Amino acid sequence: MALRAILLAFLVCLHGLPIRAQDRAAVEHQFRGWLEQTIWPTARGKGVSRATFDSAFDGVSLDWDLPDLVPPGQKASTQRQQRQSEFGSPGKYFSRGGLVAATEQGRRMARIHAAALTRAEKATGVPGRIVLGIWGRESNYGRAAIPHNAFRVLGTKGFMSTRAPYFTEELIALLQIAEAGHAPESAMKSSWAGALGQPQFMPTNFLKHAADGDGDGHADIWRSEADTIASIARYLAAHGWQAGRDWGFEVRVPESISCTLEGPDQGRRIADWADRGITRVSGRPFPAHEMKGAGFLLMPAGRHGPAFIVTPNFYVLKDYNMSDLYALFVGHVGDRVQYGVGDFAAPWGAVGGLYRSDVAQMQRALERMGHDVGGADGLPGFRTRRSIGRWQEATGQLATCFPEAAMKRALR
């Protein structure tokens, strides 16, 4: 037992003390000092009053349960805990129940808020169905519980997270929002990452993009559906939404076209993709007005799932959330709401079940071979997918462009 205790003590020293073993009272004291010495002078320079500042942090303590915290005196771990979480099939993102619920409620919201959606589309060029897709995904059309004290979340992350400068900037913006009186104090709730209101805007995005959709002189993304709709549309327009273009189309990709051609940096005219044999699963031709525009191959599960030709608007959706699956979900739900389309024609294959650490191991092996995987983060983004495909082709295999358990031994 003594030897075991010595080994345990050694490992603790090697990897850093866990958060719960810290002298929390001392760290809390440092937090209060940081608020006074760093946050208050910056906030005051942005026009925040002392009364607003004191009210915001009255009774606020650090939230030790948030992820990616680095208490004072510790170093950030090079192996984050979430790297050990299981990576599931992309198809799980499109559960039948989730799609049906988002579609049915989206249609109801389309009827109730038709005027606001029309106004937003006329002002920005962003279709109402796309706004509905984002609104539904972010907050279940305003019905999702948003439980956290935003000042506590952003205060904690600004003081001791792996992205402290980013969250400090968001905390200052949150204080500016409070100073301007955009929402009552009781509404200042956020996600665990500090996102606010029905569209789940980070505070800096609220200051840039929140819009008054109902004409009452306020941009209230907490209680006003019209303001929420207008704000989402304004955000997308500011990030480059191209009016008149779709987000993308499900397609069939012939075996003669390699899945390694995926990615936003390998675009070509949609007409060129069509000339190479890519066709829409619906059997209809690509719209004539889209043919000269840029299109990009998207295969989120490689050869194990649906394939798409997406437009630049797809990548505008990714500016809202950097996940391919998020953007695909939003576009698909919007199409279901407005056009009544069904599920994707191609099924999602039985892939996944790996740990993120397994995928990260593959990524590091591919990096050593000279491939650009976009970072060994354990997530199979498009750079990782096509790097796997290029490795497969280089070793005489059929390219599938997705991490599989059978690859672990070869890519280590």
Side-chain angles (χ1 to χ4, degrees):
M1 290 296 293
L3 178 59
R4 183 178 179 182
I6 292 171
L7 286 173
L8 179 60
F10 172 77
L11 290 173
V12 166
C13 291
L14 182 65
H15 294 292
L17 289 171
I19 290 176
R20 294 189 182 280
Q22 296 291 312
D23 180 354
R24 291 193 178 186
V27 177
E28 292 281 0
H29 181 73
Q30 288 179 276
F31 172 58
R32 300 309 301 191
W34 174 78
L35 289 175
E36 285 293 333
Q37 297 163 22
T38 300
I39 299 304
W40 165 237
T42 305
R44 181 176 54 195
K46 295 287 187 178
V48 176
S49 69
R50 185 70 205 196
T52 296
F53 181 85
D54 289 342
S55 177
F57 295 109
D58 183 28
V60 169
S61 60
L62 292 168
D63 186 342
W64 295 87
D65 293 325
L66 295 174
D68 297 333
L69 300 184
V70 186
Q74 287 197 34
K75 294 181 179 180
S77 172
T78 58
Q79 297 289 331
R80 296 184 184 179
Q81 185 175 0
Q82 66 264 34
R83 289 273 292 278
Q84 289 298 326
S85 63
E86 184 174 311
F87 177 76
S89 166
K92 292 181 179 180
Y93 204 95
F94 299 87
S95 69
R96 181 70 180 169
L99 284 173
V100 169
T103 301
E104 291 179 352
Q105 186 66 8
R107 288 173 180 161
R108 178 173 176 269
M109 290 299 182
R111 293 191 298 269
I112 294 173
H113 302 291
L117 289 162
T118 299
R119 287 195 303 271
E121 183 167 358
K122 185 176 293 187
T124 65
V126 178
R129 74 182 193 278
I130 298 298
V131 172
L132 289 167
I134 288 180
W135 187 15
R137 188 64 190 176
E138 291 295 337
S139 67
N140 192 18
Y141 306 100
R143 298 188 301 175
I146 302 174
H148 301 288
N149 180 318
F151 292 104
R152 187 182 190 205
V153 167
L154 291 175
T156 299
K157 286 182 164 284
F159 176 62
M160 58 173 193
S161 82
T162 56
R163 300 172 64 198
Y166 167 77
F167 287 108
T168 296
E169 181 183 9
E170 296 296 342
L171 178 60
I172 297 299
L174 183 65
L175 287 164
Q176 292 177 268
I177 292 170
E179 179 66 29
H182 290 295
E185 186 175 345
S186 61
M188 296 300 266
K189 301 292 185 180
S190 75
S191 70
W192 65 266
L196 307 171
Q198 297 188 45
Q200 286 290 273
F201 276 179
M202 293 302 289
T204 55
N205 282 330
F206 177 92
L207 295 178
K208 294 174 185 175
H209 305 299
D212 175 15
D214 54 20
D216 67 354
H218 301 282
D220 185 347
I221 62 171
W222 295 269
R223 297 164 297 183
S224 170
E225 290 83 1
D227 291 2
T228 295
I229 289 166
S231 298
I232 293 171
R234 184 177 177 182
Y235 179 100
L236 295 176
H239 284 76
W241 184 273
Q242 296 180 10
R245 295 207 67 185
D246 210 321
W247 66 268
F249 311 90
E250 187 184 358
V251 297
R252 291 189 177 90
V253 180
E255 292 294 333
S256 59
I257 297 180
S258 174
C259 52
T260 63
L261 295 178
E262 182 184 9
D265 53 351
Q266 299 191 101
R268 60 190 70 199
R269 296 188 313 160
I270 289 180
D272 295 333
W273 290 114
D275 288 344
R276 297 191 63 173
I278 289 183
T279 59
R280 295 178 66 185
V281 297
S282 66
R284 297 190 297 271
F286 291 102
H289 72 276
E290 295 277 13
M291 294 294 277
K292 293 183 179 180
F296 311 88
L297 182 61
L298 173 73
M299 302 180 75
R303 288 283 181 182
H304 302 295
F308 307 86
I309 292 295
V310 298
T311 76
N313 284 341
F314 178 85
Y315 296 102
V316 174
L317 296 178
K318 284 192 66 174
D319 283 336
Y320 211 102
N321 181 309
M322 285 305 295
S323 164
D324 285 336
L325 298 179
Y326 174 93
L328 189 57
F329 184 94
V330 165
H332 182 53
V333 167
D335 288 351
R336 294 170 74 101
V337 167
Q338 183 163 334
Y339 303 129
V341 302
D343 296 340
F344 294 134
W348 295 97
V351 291
L354 296 171
Y355 288 110
R356 284 182 62 176
S357 56
D358 294 330
V359 178
Q361 171 186 296
M362 296 180 193
Q363 290 170 323
R364 288 190 290 269
L366 289 165
E367 284 179 331
R368 289 193 294 271
M369 298 176 194
H371 292 282
D372 175 12
V373 298
D377 59 1
L379 296 175
F382 75 89
R383 287 189 175 88
T384 295
R385 296 194 294 265
R386 71 188 186 193
S387 292
I388 287 173
R390 289 167 179 168
W391 165 75
Q392 289 173 312
E393 290 177 344
T395 54
Q397 305 174 63
L398 178 66
T400 60
C401 297
F402 202 78
E404 302 165 35
M407 300 174 184
K408 290 198 305 182
R409 180 169 295 181
L411 294 174
R412 55 184 303 167

